[in-house]
Amino acid sequence: MKKVEDYIRSIPDFPEKGIIFRDVTSILQNKDGLKLAIDEMINLLKDVDFDIIVGAESRGFIFGVPIAYTLGKSFVPVRKKGKLPMATVQKEYDLEYGKAIIEIHKDAIKKGERVVIVDDLIATGGTVEATINLVEQLGGIVVKNIFLIELCGLHGRDKLKKYDVASVVKYEGE
């Protein structure tokens, strides 16, 4: 039986020399790989009591929505600045080369709601840390963060020490 990592395409020297890019599109393009990836992420949520799944643009949507649908939960998108139509709260965070701003609707999460954050990958942890900040700013309680892939060498988990973090596939390098 295949494992999720069997469906992940590794591309050397992309986007620059020395980097191995872990491509999830090879999972999405394969019905068995996609089903396995979603099922394995759902398995990370066994015995987790929560109300809402939050996913960051854009691959957090790809994996978060089918998980929310399967588990009978709602889904809340976190988007790049200027993409949401109603009143938002926003958070600026550092990228490898620059800064970015993400937003969430002000009415997306009610005080005390229990939230799981879903994304395809954790690398440096900047996006998920900013997403956590938005959820908590609205009064939500982050009970778990799940990822399909974790790049352990970039130490993103270190930024999330006070949170429950789980990933399906771990790569020791960057």
Side-chain angles (χ1 to χ4, degrees), residues 8-163:
I8 299 170
R9 182 172 34 204
S10 296
I11 303 168
D13 299 323
F14 184 83
E16 58 188 52
K17 191 163 179 57
I19 302 291
I20 299 174
F21 184 78
R22 308 300 180 173
D23 184 17
V24 298
T25 62
S26 53
I27 291 173
L28 303 175
Q29 294 167 349
N30 183 293
K31 66 179 181 173
D32 297 327
L34 179 59
K35 182 173 182 349
L36 181 60
I38 299 296
D39 289 347
E40 289 296 319
M41 292 179 84
I42 288 170
N43 284 339
L44 297 176
L45 296 174
K46 282 184 184 170
D47 303 320
V48 177
D49 177 28
F50 69 100
D51 305 301
I52 298 170
I53 289 183
V54 169
E57 188 171 345
S58 65
R59 291 177 304 252
F61 299 178
I62 292 170
F63 293 101
V65 168
I67 294 169
Y69 173 81
T70 300
L71 297 178
K73 305 295 182 179
S74 58
F75 178 83
V76 171
V78 170
R79 301 221 46 202
K80 295 173 185 169
K81 183 179 179 181
K83 300 290 185 179
L84 292 171
M86 300 298 291
T88 64
V89 292
Q90 60 182 237
K91 177 68 178 169
E92 183 178 80
Y93 66 102
D94 292 324
L95 298 170
E96 191 173 354
Y97 302 106
K99 294 189 179 292
I101 297 174
I102 56 174
E103 298 179 322
I104 190 171
H105 279 139
K106 281 185 177 179
D107 63 355
I109 296 170
K110 314 262 182 304
K111 185 176 175 132
E113 287 185 310
R114 299 170 59 79
V115 174
V116 169
I117 296 173
V118 174
D119 210 347
D120 70 320
L121 178 109
I122 180 170
T124 64
T127 303
V128 70
E129 184 180 43
T131 301
I132 289 169
N133 181 276
L134 290 173
V135 168
E136 291 178 343
Q137 190 175 340
L138 295 177
I141 302 163
V142 177
V143 296
K144 190 151 190 153
N145 298 274
I146 66 168
F147 306 93
L148 184 62
I149 300 170
E150 181 173 353
L151 303 179
C152 299
L154 293 174
H155 308 289
R157 188 182 282 260
D158 293 349
K159 290 183 179 176
L160 310 175
K161 287 183 180 176
K162 68 179 197 173
Y163 299 96

